[in-house]
Amino acid sequence: MMAQGTGTISGKIIDSKTKEPLSFVTVSLTPQGSSTPIYGVNTDDDGLFKIAKIKTGNYTARFSFVGYLDDTRNIEIGISENVEIGTIRLKPDNKLLKEVVVTEQRSQMSFEIDRRVFTVDQNIATTGGSASDVLEDIPSVEVDTEGKVSLRGSESVTVWINGKASGLTSDNQGDILQQMPAGSIEKIEVITNPSAKHSPEGTAGIINIVLKRDRKAGYYGSVQAGADSQGGYNAGGNINYSSGKLDAYANVNYRHMNHEGEGNSFTRYYNHNRYQRQRSNNSREPQNLFARAGVTWRFTEKDEIYANIMGMKTRGDMSNNTTTLSGSLEQMDTTEMIVRTTDAVNRPKMFNIEGGYRHTFKDGHYIDLSVNHNIWGMDNEAVYRQNTERADNIYKSYQFQNNEVDNRSTSIKLEYENKISENTRIEAGYNGTLSRDENPTITYTDEAHTQVDKNMFNRFIYNQDTHAIYGTYSGRLGKFGYQLGLRGEYWRVKTRSFNWEQEQNPEQRPSYIKKDFFSLFPSLFISYSLPNGHELQVNYTRRLRRPWGGQLNSFSNISDSTNISFGNPDLTPEYSNAYELNYIKNWKEHTLSISGYFRTTDDVIERISYSDPTKNIMYTTFENVASEKSAGLEIIGKNRLFKKLDLTTTLNLFYYKLDGFRYTINNQEITGEADENFSWNARMTASMILPWGITMQATGRYNAKRVVAQGHREPNYSFDCGLRKSFNKHWSISMNIRDILDSRGWHTITGDRNFYRDSENRHGGRRFGMTLTYSFGNMKAKRPTRKPSQNQNMNMESDGYGDEGMM
């Protein structure tokens, strides 16, 4: 009868000095004469605990918490006896709590089965900068002067935020990345050949920006302020809270930037024997408010709901002064001079909200449902003033143009994953996105804004619905690992464009141009583990690149009257087959990754330029020009030297071939000769620990000559450097210099049988910045729950205030 009896013990644990309750203190019961505990719980947020169904006997109760001295009590449990221990006062461990300063460098790069991960939250060179600045420092990634992102030399890349599109499209991607603060980013994931689980959009792969959202126990945060040598400044703050049930975070950042740029070009028009020389100076002064917040509530051990919001509001003032000289190509005289000034105000705004529910059946087995709604808008107002001088005549013109962008999209994502066994896993899911985009543009020719230029009016509507289902199966046979995947996508595109008369008369408006597509996207991954830390991986995926709204809109952009661009509503997607062979070798202080890749792409979308034979005007549009092939070898080395120096080196060698093409656009025959090119780029990032606890980081990069449609891009190089010093656990200061050599820019040469153009653009220039950060928080007040290891042999039948079995 005594052996069959049970009892209960309960009590409360507090800090002996502050008298505050301590949560997540481990309470364990060990039978006297034994060293193995068989009962255990953690205290709740009020420091309370209770263990029930304890068999009769004599026990030793131990109370343990990191940063405090252990305490014990001897307890006797009788039949149906409830033992109230009372209040236990734990004493802080002064030796353990004594401050110890450890200077260490965290690895900036790691390898996973299908991606490379770059930790950037400690990147000194981009402190106070933007997401675009961060991406510039990622191996194989490039960002041009307009904010366009390319991966391994291709602009056909998808950019995500926290694993989702989050409203980023090719239309707004540059604007958002240039406004998003670098300080909100934790890491960058580069997925060069994504499996069928991921969207096939972007033939070159996916770049996933993971924003900071720590789950350290307690509350903590920081505030920071900074300025740079070009008149920019920023301020921001963040706070995080985490407990066993609730995680929450909030972040706000204000940035005022000032960018100066210039451009030069020289064009020869062979078809009418004239030249054009152009010089421009521009300045941009955006003011940006960026904020985000989120909360996760784990209301049971297996269920959680979460919600996240992110918003951005910007005002950007921009001015441009362009002088264009033209005349006879033989005489090189000046017969016409055009001076065009632009004063514009852009007001982008973005709001994204996400909510979801996740149920975990067990480790490696879960289902996740999320809904994401995004609003992207931009109100652009621009005034164009132009003086044209020919002989003794001067012509003046005035234009005011208002352009509005309104994009709304809703995404639903359902993910299921089940780790059936230690070597087998299945994944399946559905992803649907409904996107609505409307873009009206109206132009006035008088300063009172009463006279509409009917030829310059346009309303463009672009709707796209996408539905996808996928499934993958992963397994391992001995040293072989494999994953098979298949994704099916159906999408429907509807576009239409109104001119002025159609806008005023709805019955005259054209019908939607509708296009339906369905395609399958298979993926295959195989890996083989070799002895001594070697691993081989080979994979294949099929991907695509859909044309985006700006490429489809036939409206003419007149910001430069001598260089007019417009879209092409007849564009179709480009499809790509991508193959990779990867080799990885890990040593204690070194890592080597070698990736060989080959990609074939059909119906490549490229910018095409041609000249008007009667005017000094260059037109630019988009066409599905031809097929291309690209192959490359990417070598990444990570070396830890002398325990003080961390080097990350990337060498990317690639071959590119574009087939020849011939098109007729607006009665102009456009040609492009078949071209092929071998090119390479290199990048090295060095992080070093200097005396007095100073950390230095330097990044150098070089891009060799590269083929583009109708021409090539000249080599370019740049160098950045930064220092960080922490004064104590609260204060730190960072200083950096971007573009030390004042060399960032693009030099491009293009042409065909009718024209030759040599153009160069520079943006930003050398910039010195300094940022001061203050950190605060109490990260020992709460601790994340930890389940006991199997060898602790805990009895999980206890119940009470604390989470069961959280030893």
Side-chain angles (χ1 to χ4, degrees):
M1 290 179 60
M2 292 290 293
Q4 295 174 351
T6 60
T8 300
I9 68 169
S10 59
K12 182 177 183 178
I13 302 178
I14 65 173
D15 185 300
S16 64
K17 290 185 177 180
T18 65
K19 310 304 181 185
E20 293 183 355
L22 296 175
S23 60
F24 291 99
V25 176
T26 299
V27 182
S28 62
L29 286 183
T30 303
Q32 292 184 6
S34 172
S35 60
T36 303
I38 62 172
Y39 298 96
V41 295
N42 285 341
T43 58
D44 65 7
D45 288 347
D46 296 321
L48 301 172
F49 71 91
K50 183 174 71 173
I51 304 177
K53 301 179 182 179
I54 306 172
K55 294 180 180 179
T56 57
N58 296 319
Y59 297 89
T60 298
R62 181 176 297 276
F63 310 98
S64 305
F65 191 36
V66 174
Y68 289 82
L69 298 173
D70 288 358
D71 198 355
T72 58
R73 295 286 191 278
N74 292 324
I75 298 172
E76 182 180 356
I77 300 295
I79 300 175
S80 301
E81 183 178 2
N82 296 322
V83 177
E84 173 60 45
I85 296 179
T87 301
I88 305 295
R89 295 171 174 82
L90 290 188
K91 298 178 181 180
D93 187 342
N94 295 324
K95 293 183 180 179
L96 183 62
L97 294 180
K98 184 178 180 180
E99 183 175 353
V100 177
V101 178
V102 179
T103 304
E104 181 63 44
Q105 291 175 291
R106 183 169 57 181
S107 175
Q108 294 182 323
M109 181 181 69
S110 60
F111 295 91
E112 297 183 9
I113 184 67
D114 63 344
R115 69 194 65 191
R116 292 191 303 275
V117 181
F118 301 90
T119 303
V120 299
D121 60 341
Q122 299 297 317
N123 191 330
I124 308 171
T126 59
T127 302
S130 67
S132 294
D133 297 326
V134 174
L135 290 175
E136 280 190 280
D137 286 342
I138 301 301
S140 302
V141 178
E142 294 179 3
V143 183
D144 68 13
T145 56
E146 297 177 352
K148 295 288 185 183
V149 179
S150 61
L151 176 61
R152 288 178 173 173
S154 173
E155 290 185 2
S156 177
V157 57
T158 296
V159 181
W160 283 347
I161 298 176
N162 289 338
K164 299 180 177 63
S166 300
L168 265 70
T169 67
S170 296
D171 284 311
N172 61 33
Q173 173 181 289
D175 291 297
I176 293 178
L177 296 180
Q178 289 176 341
Q179 306 301 327
M180 181 181 294
S184 65
I185 302 174
E186 178 182 349
K187 59 186 177 182
I188 304 290
E189 297 178 341
V190 178
I191 313 172
T192 54
N193 219 14
S195 71
K197 177 180 179 179
H198 304 291
S199 168
E201 184 71 43
T203 56
I206 297 171
I207 298 174
N208 183 31
I209 300 174
V210 181
L211 302 180
K212 292 178 180 178
R213 188 190 170 196
D214 244 327
R215 285 193 174 184
K216 299 175 185 176
Y219 73 91
Y220 61 99
S222 65
V223 292
Q224 62 178 209
D228 63 52
S229 58
Q230 294 189 6
Y233 53 88
N234 66 87
N238 68 85
I239 188 168
N240 297 260
Y241 171 80
S242 181
S243 71
K245 297 290 185 181
L246 188 70
D247 293 337
Y249 68 91
N251 168 251
V252 64
N253 186 278
Y254 174 80
R255 302 178 71 232
H256 179 104
M257 293 165 284
N258 194 352
H259 297 290
E260 304 288 337
E262 63 179 28
N264 294 281
S265 68
F266 182 82
T267 308
R268 297 184 178 96
Y269 296 98
Y270 300 125
N271 49 11
H272 55 287
N273 197 33
R274 291 184 65 81
Y275 81 90
Q276 180 187 87
R277 188 186 305 277
Q278 189 174 81
R279 181 178 180 84
S280 64
N281 294 283
N282 61 78
S283 66
R284 297 184 299 116
E285 194 173 354
Q287 304 171 58
N288 170 258
L289 182 66
F290 180 88
R292 47 189 293 268
V295 62
T296 299
W297 178 37
R298 290 181 288 277
F299 55 94
T300 74
E301 288 187 2
K302 296 184 177 182
D303 300 275
E304 67 178 46
I305 57 176
Y306 54 89
N308 302 288
I309 60 173
M310 178 170 59
M312 182 186 80
K313 188 173 183 180
T314 302
R315 176 190 169 97
D317 294 292
M318 188 273 288
S319 63
N320 179 280
N321 190 313
T322 302
T323 300
T324 305
L325 306 176
S326 60
S328 168
L329 188 58
E330 294 180 354
Q331 303 297 326
M332 291 301 293
D333 56 345
T334 301
T335 60
E336 181 182 75
M337 182 175 72
I338 300 174
V339 178
R340 187 174 180 84
T341 61
T342 302
D343 294 292
V345 178
N346 300 330
R347 301 182 182 88
K349 56 182 181 294
M350 182 263 285
F351 178 76
N352 182 275
I353 184 170
E354 175 194 29
Y357 164 76
R358 183 185 184 99
H359 176 77
T360 302
F361 301 95
K362 60 180 181 179
D363 289 345
H365 188 191
Y366 70 87
I367 187 169
D368 191 299
L369 174 65
S370 63
V371 179
N372 183 293
H373 182 68
N374 187 82
I375 299 174
W376 164 258
M378 186 158 56
D379 182 14
N380 301 327
E381 294 180 351
V383 175
Y384 305 102
R385 294 181 175 88
Q386 179 168 306
N387 289 348
T388 305
E389 296 185 19
R390 298 192 188 101
D392 296 329
N393 297 320
I394 299 178
Y395 305 90
K396 295 185 177 183
S397 66
Y398 173 93
Q399 291 173 310
F400 173 83
Q401 192 171 80
N402 178 256
N403 172 254
E404 296 181 7
V405 176
D406 184 13
N407 174 273
R408 299 168 185 266
S409 62
T410 301
S411 299
I412 301 174
K413 195 171 186 178
L414 178 64
E415 294 180 303
Y416 173 78
E417 181 176 322
N418 187 3
K419 186 178 180 181
I420 301 175
S421 67
E422 191 65 29
N423 295 322
T424 307
R425 183 189 304 268
I426 60 171
E427 297 172 298
Y430 162 81
N431 193 3
T433 302
L434 309 178
S435 178
R436 303 292 179 263
D437 195 346
E438 188 164 347
N439 187 348
T441 303
I442 187 169
T443 305
Y444 298 94
T445 57
D446 65 317
E447 296 192 20
H449 302 167
T450 59
Q451 300 177 17
V452 176
D453 186 339
K454 297 179 181 179
N455 294 324
M456 296 298 296
F457 178 86
N458 176 261
R459 182 182 295 273
F460 178 68
I461 300 174
Y462 172 70
N463 299 332
Q464 178 173 284
D465 297 343
T466 304
H467 302 276
I469 57 174
Y470 70 86
T472 67
Y473 180 83
S474 305
R476 175 167 288 277
L477 297 172
K479 295 182 179 181
F480 281 96
Y482 61 89
Q483 184 194 83
L484 304 173
L486 183 63
R487 185 183 185 95
E489 285 207 357
Y490 165 80
W491 68 99
R492 186 180 190 188
V493 176
K494 297 196 306 180
T495 64
R496 63 174 176 171
S497 183
F498 304 156
N499 59 30
W500 177 257
E501 287 74 20
Q502 293 165 340
E503 176 76 8
Q504 305 304 313
N505 302 284
E507 65 277 1
Q508 297 180 11
R509 295 176 182 176
S511 301
Y512 279 100
I513 299 175
K514 300 178 182 180
K515 295 181 180 180
D516 294 78
F517 303 88
F518 175 78
S519 193
L520 295 175
F521 301 93
S523 67
L524 171 64
F525 291 77
I526 298 175
S527 66
Y528 181 73
S529 297
L530 297 169
N532 302 319
H534 300 261
E535 184 171 352
L536 285 175
Q537 301 172 359
V538 61
N539 55 64
Y540 159 78
T541 65
R542 183 171 187 253
R543 303 190 60 74
L544 89 161
R545 179 192 185 191
R546 301 180 181 93
W548 44 273
Q551 293 176 325
L552 297 169
N553 189 355
S554 59
F555 178 68
S556 297
N557 182 343
I558 60 162
S559 57
D560 181 348
S561 62
T562 64
N563 295 280
I564 297 175
S565 61
F566 57 92
N568 177 5
D570 295 324
L571 289 176
T572 59
E574 61 179 56
Y575 293 89
S576 178
N577 293 293
Y579 308 82
E580 279 195 11
L581 174 63
N582 301 315
Y583 166 79
I584 298 175
K585 166 61 177 173
N586 290 294
W587 295 270
K588 183 177 180 181
E589 301 288 349
H590 310 281
T591 299
L592 175 65
S593 168
I594 301 176
S595 299
Y597 57 91
F598 177 70
R599 185 171 63 239
T600 62
T601 307
D602 297 320
D603 297 325
V604 177
I605 301 173
E606 287 279 4
R607 289 184 178 90
I608 299 300
S609 298
Y610 64 94
S611 61
D612 188 324
T614 63
K615 302 176 184 178
N616 288 350
I617 298 178
M618 184 68 68
Y619 295 95
T620 301
T621 187
F622 298 90
E623 282 287 346
N624 294 101
V625 293
S627 298
E628 72 174 20
K629 297 179 179 67
S630 60
L633 183 67
E634 186 178 60
I635 303 172
I636 300 178
K638 180 166 176 48
N639 306 97
R640 180 85 166 194
L641 305 174
F642 317 116
K643 297 184 179 180
K644 296 289 185 179
L645 178 62
D646 194 337
L647 293 179
T648 301
T649 308
T650 304
L651 177 63
N652 195 358
L653 313 171
F654 54 89
Y655 167 81
Y656 174 86
K657 181 180 181 181
L658 180 66
D659 295 341
F661 57 87
R662 185 183 301 272
Y663 287 93
T664 299
I665 304 175
N666 293 338
N667 298 320
Q668 297 293 309
E669 187 177 78
I670 313 302
T671 61
E673 299 296 328
D675 203 353
E676 57 184 333
N677 175 242
F678 171 80
S679 186
W680 61 279
N681 58 58
R683 182 179 323 215
M684 176 178 284
T685 297
S687 297
M688 179 180 291
I689 299 176
L690 302 177
W692 305 292
I694 298 175
T695 304
M696 184 188 77
Q697 186 180 86
T699 300
R701 59 187 68 79
Y702 177 84
N703 298 303
K705 178 181 175 181
R706 194 174 95 195
V707 166
V708 297
Q710 296 181 287
H712 70 271
R713 182 175 295 157
E714 293 288 339
N716 62 74
Y717 57 90
S718 63
F719 183 66
D720 304 326
C721 186
L723 298 171
R724 173 182 286 123
K725 166 65 176 173
S726 296
F727 296 99
N728 51 45
K729 63 181 180 180
H730 294 298
W731 292 97
S732 66
I733 187 170
S734 300
M735 295 178 288
N736 59 60
I737 305 178
R738 300 282 293 176
D739 198 9
I740 293 176
L741 305 178
D742 198 18
S743 57
R744 267 193 177 90
W746 301 94
H747 185 187
T748 307
I749 296 175
T750 56
D752 62 10
R753 64 181 183 179
N754 295 321
F755 79 95
Y756 168 89
R757 165 166 286 186
D758 185 329
S759 61
E760 187 171 3
N761 294 283
R762 296 174 57 78
H763 172 65
R766 187 182 296 111
R767 182 188 304 268
F768 172 79
M770 181 164 41
T771 301
L772 183 66
T773 302
Y774 174 78
S775 301
F776 61 89
N778 175 19
M779 287 175 281
K780 70 178 182 181
K782 308 285 183 190
R783 295 178 61 207
T785 60
R786 296 183 294 114
K787 291 184 179 180
S789 59
Q790 292 181 354
N791 60 11
Q792 285 178 299
N793 191 28
M794 282 294 183
N795 186 332
M796 297 304 179
E797 295 181 354
S798 61
D799 56 14
Y801 301 109
D803 293 332
E804 296 181 7
M806 299 302 175
M807 185 61 177

